[in-house]
């Protein structure tokens, strides 16, 4: 890849602040454009029409979901809160957009770090966010702070309404708590989405029905239905 910055694994920096500032000028936002939806009104239109920009504040994941293709990079690294806001501001200025999609798998892993990020965003940025979240790990106070900082869309990934399937997926969530947090975010004005993964080996019709009932909860605005894909290297691929 021309001009790519590559690191030997043994020399990966512990902090992303050690990586030079990102050159956002050649980023083609059209590559991240979604399908236009009218279900959630003008707000979703902004995200679906390609006016938003992607960003990762962290790298790595501490979980090992059986279907996930992330087989390396388990070390969790991140920018400092100050650097997060600097990068977001530059990204926003270069592409003239207020709309940011935070693609982090688990941006709220360290809640104190995340609170500082939110405080800085609330004070110094005029941005609007999609946030991916393990929402059962959130609490109402943190959701309120996310909204104050600019979050308007909370994307959640229960993947299945069936306890047995989630255990096989190694999806470490508490569904009752997740639903409570999704409901709270919706009541506070956030658009809430839910991702469901169908086609797990030996998934029964009743278990699929449980996922459909989950997706039909009235506080869920957008449902993403996905078909299971076997990624090379994922734990699930060993079943082939």
């Amino acid at each position: 890849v021309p001009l790519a910055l590559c690191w030997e694994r043994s020399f990966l920096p512990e902090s992303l602040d050690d990586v030079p500032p990102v050159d956002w000028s050649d980023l083609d936002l059209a590559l991240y454009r979604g399908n236009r939806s009218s279900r959630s009104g003008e707000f979703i239109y902004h995200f679906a029409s390609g006016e938003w920009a992607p960003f990762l504040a962290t790298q790595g994941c501490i979980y090992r979901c059986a279907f996930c293709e992330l087989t390396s990079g388990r070390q969790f690294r991140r920018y400092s809160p100050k650097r997060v806001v600097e990068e977001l501001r530059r990204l926003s200025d270069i592409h003239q957009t207020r709309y940011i999609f935070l693609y982090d798998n688990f941006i709220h892993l360290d809640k104190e770090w995340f609170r500082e990020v939110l405080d800085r965003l609330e004070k110094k940025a005029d941005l609007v966010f999609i946030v991916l979240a393990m929402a059962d790990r959130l609490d109402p106070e943190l959701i309120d702070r996310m909204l104050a900082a600019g979050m308007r869309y909370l994307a959640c990934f229960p993947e299945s309404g069936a306890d047995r399937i989630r255990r096989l997926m190694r999806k470490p969530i508490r569904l009752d708590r997740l639903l409570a947090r999704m409901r709270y975010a919706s009541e506070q004005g956030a658009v809430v989405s839910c991702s469901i993964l169908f086609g797990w080996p030996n998934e029964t019709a009743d278990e699929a029905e449980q996922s459909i009932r989950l997706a039909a909860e009235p506080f869920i605005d957008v449902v993403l239905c996905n078909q299971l894909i076997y990624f090379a290297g994922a734990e699930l691929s060993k079943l082939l």
Side-chain angles (χ1 to χ4, degrees):
V1 179
L3 301 180
L5 180 63
C6 299
W7 299 87
E8 292 289 340
R9 182 164 298 181
S10 59
F11 294 101
L12 286 173
E14 292 186 6
S15 170
L16 294 184
D17 283 3
D18 295 330
V19 178
V22 179
D23 180 3
W24 299 107
S25 59
D26 289 333
L27 178 65
D28 183 0
L29 297 188
L31 297 175
Y32 296 86
R33 183 174 299 155
N35 296 318
R36 184 169 180 176
S37 167
S38 60
R39 181 172 181 180
S40 300
E42 182 180 0
F43 176 75
I44 292 298
Y45 167 74
H46 283 291
F47 286 92
S49 64
E51 299 175 11
W52 53 272
F55 182 77
L56 277 170
T58 64
Q59 289 185 359
C61 183
I62 64 173
Y63 293 111
R64 295 184 177 272
C65 297
F67 56 83
C68 184
E69 75 277 18
L70 181 61
T71 56
S72 61
R74 296 290 177 184
Q75 179 184 354
F76 191 79
R77 300 177 298 149
R78 63 197 179 193
Y79 288 119
S80 66
K82 179 175 181 292
R83 178 72 180 273
V84 170
V85 176
E86 290 173 351
E87 291 289 345
L88 288 176
R89 190 74 271 168
R90 290 197 307 111
L91 176 59
S92 173
D93 290 344
I94 288 171
H95 290 285
Q96 295 297 296
T97 180
R98 297 174 54 231
Y99 297 91
I100 305 293
F101 194 145
L102 295 176
Y103 269 96
D104 302 83
N105 289 314
F106 200 1
I107 194 171
H108 50 87
L109 175 64
D110 182 337
K111 289 186 178 180
E112 290 307 311
W113 174 87
F114 189 43
R115 286 188 177 96
E116 185 176 348
V117 171
L118 295 174
D119 288 343
R120 288 176 177 269
L121 288 173
E122 185 176 359
K123 295 174 182 177
K124 298 184 178 181
D126 182 24
L127 303 175
V128 176
F129 298 96
I130 288 178
V131 177
L132 308 183
M134 300 280 281
D136 60 319
R137 310 301 172 88
L138 300 175
D139 55 57
E141 180 267 339
L142 191 55
I143 292 173
D144 289 341
R145 294 179 74 164
M146 292 162 69
L147 290 165
M151 183 193 76
R152 295 297 179 269
Y153 188 121
L154 180 65
C156 303
F157 298 85
E159 308 300 3
S160 176
D163 292 340
R164 185 184 75 92
I165 297 297
R166 289 198 309 278
R167 285 196 298 271
L168 292 173
M169 290 178 173
R170 298 181 183 172
K171 192 72 178 180
I173 66 168
R174 288 179 48 190
L175 187 60
D176 57 343
R177 185 179 173 91
L178 172 67
L179 293 175
R181 298 301 179 253
M182 294 169 74
R183 181 184 295 108
Y184 180 82
S186 176
E187 291 170 349
Q188 304 310 306
V191 175
V192 175
S193 74
C194 172
S195 174
I196 299 295
L197 187 60
F198 290 102
W200 195 266
N202 301 317
E203 180 181 40
T204 67
D206 179 68
E207 287 168 333
E209 179 67 27
Q210 291 179 55
S211 293
I212 293 171
R213 290 198 297 269
L214 166 61
E217 291 284 359
F219 48 83
I220 296 176
D221 301 287
V222 179
V223 179
L224 307 175
C225 294
N226 305 291
Q227 182 177 358
L228 180 66
I229 297 175
Y230 289 79
F231 289 105
E235 184 69 23
L236 178 61
S237 66
K238 298 178 181 179
L239 298 178
L240 293 177

